Amino acid sequence: MAQASQNFAQQSFAPRRSEPLFGRLAIIGIGLIGSSIAHAAKDLNLAARVVLYDRDAGVRIRARELDLGHEIAEAAADAVREADHVVLCVPVGACGAVAAEIAASLKPGAILSDVGSVKGAVVDAVSPHLPEGVHFVPAHPVAGTENSGPDAGFPSLFLNRWCILTPPEGTDEAAIARTRQLWEGMGAIVEVMTASHHDLVLAVTSHLPHLIAYNIVGTAEDLATVTQSEVIKFSAGGFRDFTRIAASDPTMWRDVFLHNKDAVLEMLGRFSEDLAVLTRAIRFGDGETLHKHFTRTRAIRRGIVALGQEKPETEKLRKD
């Protein structure tokens, strides 16, 4: 972790490779993450040929208009055929079905990966479909915006962001190293951990905050005494931040909560207990408890900023 943090602090741009890392990179799903990978892979010469597929014909048409890849395939199996590395950029609930669909077309030695923010359920869903000789290296780029679709992507989305790899025990080390190179090539800082540990950590840092944001925005909308126009008109910075999070892709987040249920429920229980303490402090005028809590959480925010995890989402890659 110390070495990763040091590299994180030092990295300011993602350089273009003199030689491509992969001959053929296939991306299944052309949303925010898939289109951003495509942009970065082309701009930084991470693959000699970038091939994309999306089940939505309209998205495929738009991807061609945006020139996102060297090729837009009309079937998932065609996209992955002869690919050295395949990235599933689909909701976690769809990963198993897509893996089954493309399994017969994966060449021996290919690396299959994904970008889902739940890992245990994805490993369980994908692993049974893997052909002999295909390496599965699950990945989770901890990056995003509230926007979705092929127009939402930009090449520096992963710059100075963490990408967590969760390879199952016994995964080929060379495949792990190549997957690390792909994400580091896009400017990400790579960490490796088990799928179960990842799911617990992300339940705290990502999934629970999204659940709270969806809930509080919904509560504000439902209040009979506050019109929707007043909610929008008088939104303070905190509520605006909640609305940004709550604008995230509903299909993706539905699948996240359904497939990381145990970890999310555990964290939600702890959150409810802590909220009860704050509720009691407010009710009985316990300012000392409130001040201690707010001071501790303020220090956490400062730590996040110190690690460089707060940057404009529109920052663009510096080119050589």
Side-chain angles (χ1 to χ4, degrees):
M1 176 66 79
Q3 183 62 45
S5 298
Q6 181 181 10
N7 291 343
F8 183 95
Q10 292 174 350
Q11 184 166 335
S12 60
F13 67 99
R16 179 179 172 83
R17 290 181 62 93
S18 58
E19 295 291 335
L21 179 64
F22 297 107
R24 183 179 173 100
L25 172 67
I27 301 168
I28 308 299
I30 318 175
L32 168 66
I33 301 297
S35 60
S36 294
I37 294 173
H39 278 299
K42 287 184 68 178
D43 289 359
L44 300 173
N45 196 30
L46 295 171
R49 191 160 187 82
V50 178
V51 184
L52 300 96
Y53 169 76
D54 194 284
R55 67 177 183 176
D56 188 318
V59 170
R60 297 198 299 272
I61 291 171
R62 183 58 180 156
R64 289 190 184 94
E65 293 172 348
L66 295 170
D67 194 28
L68 288 180
H70 299 101
E71 177 186 339
I72 309 298
E74 290 300 312
D78 293 337
V80 306
R81 194 167 285 114
E82 296 303 317
D84 304 296
H85 193 102
V86 177
V87 188
L88 303 182
C89 301
V90 299
V92 294
C95 283
V98 175
E101 181 181 354
I102 65 175
S105 299
L106 296 170
K107 73 175 185 179
I111 301 169
L112 178 64
S113 189
D114 77 308
V115 297
S117 67
V118 176
K119 304 315 321 168
V122 169
V123 170
D124 291 343
V126 170
S127 296
H129 304 293
L130 293 179
E132 187 71 26
V134 172
H135 311 292
F136 184 38
V137 185
H140 174 208
V142 187
T145 72
E146 72 271 27
N147 300 313
S148 58
D151 289 271
F154 54 95
S156 62
L157 177 63
F158 313 110
L159 182 64
N160 285 349
R161 292 304 196 211
W162 293 104
C163 181
I164 303 171
L165 306 185
T166 63
E169 186 176 355
T171 301
D172 180 71
E173 290 295 333
I176 298 173
R178 296 265 282 173
T179 306
R180 174 188 287 272
Q181 285 180 288
L182 173 65
W183 287 103
E184 289 180 341
M186 291 186 284
I189 308 302
V190 176
E191 185 83 4
V192 179
M193 62 181 67
T194 65
S196 59
H197 186 65
H198 166 279
D199 288 352
L200 187 62
V201 170
L202 269 294
V204 179
T205 62
S206 177
H207 304 166
L208 183 58
H210 274 80
L211 188 65
I212 294 169
Y214 280 120
N215 189 64
I216 197 168
V217 173
T219 298
E221 184 183 21
D222 291 341
L223 284 174
T225 57
V226 180
T227 68
Q228 186 175 18
S229 62
E230 286 175 322
V231 168
I232 295 172
K233 180 177 179 179
F234 299 115
S235 290
F239 188 77
R240 284 196 300 270
D241 288 343
F242 276 126
T243 60
R244 178 185 60 79
I245 296 171
S248 300
D249 187 319
T251 300
M252 181 186 78
W253 282 101
R254 176 203 64 194
D255 284 5
V256 165
F257 291 122
L258 292 178
H259 289 84
N260 198 26
K261 178 174 64 175
D262 292 342
V264 169
L265 288 175
E266 179 180 346
M267 291 304 106
L268 190 58
R270 294 190 184 191
F271 173 80
S272 298
E273 292 170 2
D274 291 342
L275 187 60
V277 172
L278 295 179
T279 301
R280 181 178 176 83
I282 294 171
R283 185 181 303 277
F284 294 102
D286 184 358
E288 183 179 356
T289 293
L290 294 173
H291 189 269
K292 285 182 178 179
H293 184 81
F294 299 157
T295 300
R296 181 165 58 89
T297 56
R298 184 185 190 189
I300 293 173
R301 166 63 182 177
R302 288 175 172 174
I304 291 172
V305 173
L307 280 174
Q309 286 291 281
E310 184 73 19
K311 75 179 180 72
E313 293 295 347
T314 55
E315 180 182 342
K316 300 303 179 184
L317 283 172
R318 193 176 107 192
K319 306 291 182 60
D320 284 349

